[in-house]
Amino acid sequence: MSAGTAPVAAAGAGETAGMLRIERLGPVAVLIMDNPAMRNAITQGMWQQFEDLLAELDADDSVKVVVVRGAGEHFSAGADIASVQRILHDPATGHSDGGDITVAENALARLRKPTIAAIDGYCVGGGWQIAGACDIRLASERAVYGITPAKIGIVYPLSGIKKLVELAGPATAKYLLFSGDFVDAQEALRLGLATKVLDLAGFWEAVHAYALLLSARSQFSAQGHKALVNAMSAGAGDAEVAKLSAYWQGQMAISEDAAIGVAAFLAKETPEFTWLRPRDV
């Protein structure tokens, strides 16, 4: 696959094409963007599925980690071009300020649990927004990234621009947004768009093994740190961050995970953590 070859997205595709579906693999839930005939381009109906499905996963205490991937050989070729203006339009405000894409991206970003984007093949446009909203981005060596609003004459949703600047910095964000150039996996890693690049052989097995590793760690620790890091990244002030930290310190006082972890460490055993969600202090 060439990083310079643009994917054929969804021009002329029907509104009903594609769906989101969930596969459960023990404590790991896999959210799959399933529209392989269009390289998993995300139709309006698919964008509108994200919020409810993610709320379901967030409320399910048996789910410890969520992996987001595309069906087949690609992560996602982005928003369905045939209906992109309608997807970006928010009927409540009358503005094209992200619409269904921003709703989906924000729903993913606020999920309490660790999220992993498993990126194989193309990760383009709105597909990058989904990947960027995840906590960790694991890319196969053949992954190709593209942030392409300049190629179709639109302004990227503000939520996507903020995440891009946060991860890659303003200079790189401008380079990608102005040019719409495609970058390969190693360049994406250098630019901050990928957390780690994995060999294509055994890619999915490696992603699942990492998800299982995270699921075995303390969910109290993971969710507390996610909340604090997200607050800092969003520009929360010192007082707000300190208040959030005090909340999680209070939760630690009534969580069993610290005692379980220390006891297992001293006994040279693998801890079996029990914490599931915050409780009233």
Side-chain angles (χ1 to χ4, degrees):
M1 181 187 301
S2 168
T5 302
V8 179
E15 258 316 292
T16 58
M19 63 177 294
L20 299 185
R21 57 186 174 86
I22 296 172
E23 291 183 358
R24 296 173 187 266
L25 304 171
V28 178
V30 184
L31 179 60
I32 301 171
M33 298 173 286
D34 192 348
N35 195 5
M38 303 185 332
R39 293 193 172 110
N40 298 319
I42 308 171
T43 65
Q44 186 168 27
M46 292 168 70
W47 286 113
Q48 292 172 346
Q49 282 186 272
F50 273 98
E51 189 171 35
D52 286 347
L53 287 178
L54 289 166
E56 175 187 322
L57 295 177
D58 206 39
D60 186 346
D61 287 336
S62 70
V63 173
K64 303 296 195 307
V65 178
V66 175
V67 174
V68 183
R69 61 164 292 181
E73 297 183 350
H74 299 283
F75 186 76
S76 174
D80 178 357
I81 299 302
S83 54
V84 68
Q85 289 181 305
R86 188 163 63 254
I87 292 170
L88 290 169
H89 183 76
D90 185 344
T93 64
H95 300 299
S96 295
D97 54 2
D100 293 322
I101 294 178
T102 295
V103 170
E105 182 183 5
N106 288 343
L108 183 54
R110 68 172 175 262
L111 197 73
R112 293 180 299 118
K113 303 167 183 182
T115 54
I116 302 168
I119 303 167
D120 189 25
Y122 282 112
C123 176
V124 178
W128 155 252
Q129 288 187 249
I130 292 301
C134 291
D135 300 314
I136 295 165
R137 283 155 292 283
L138 301 180
S140 81
E141 58 190 344
R142 69 173 178 182
V144 176
Y145 289 68
I147 301 172
T148 54
K151 291 187 175 182
I152 56 174
I154 65 171
V155 172
Y156 215 45
L158 182 59
S159 53
I161 297 172
K162 285 181 176 179
K163 178 57 68 172
L164 181 60
V165 171
E166 176 189 324
L167 292 172
T172 295
K174 290 175 183 177
Y175 160 65
L176 294 168
L177 288 166
F178 292 177
S179 68
D181 282 351
F182 291 92
V183 297
D184 64 20
Q186 290 298 333
E187 182 73 355
L189 179 65
R190 188 183 70 80
L191 295 175
L193 305 182
T195 308
K196 191 172 184 179
V197 175
L198 303 173
D199 292 341
L200 179 59
F203 174 67
W204 297 112
E205 292 80 2
V207 169
H208 184 58
Y210 183 69
L212 286 176
L213 173 71
L214 295 190
S215 73
R217 301 297 195 227
S218 166
Q219 297 308 295
F220 168 77
S221 181
Q223 292 187 27
H225 287 133
K226 178 170 180 172
L228 287 163
V229 171
N230 284 352
M232 294 174 192
S233 297
D238 289 347
E240 185 178 350
V241 172
K243 182 178 179 180
L244 184 60
S245 177
Y247 167 80
W248 283 101
Q249 293 295 328
Q251 287 292 312
M252 187 165 65
I254 58 174
S255 164
E256 296 84 9
D257 273 15
I260 291 169
V262 169
F265 178 82
L266 294 175
K268 298 182 179 180
E269 296 174 347
T270 300
E272 295 184 7
F273 296 110
T274 60
W275 188 91
L276 296 174
R277 58 174 56 241
R279 297 187 307 212
D280 292 336
V281 178

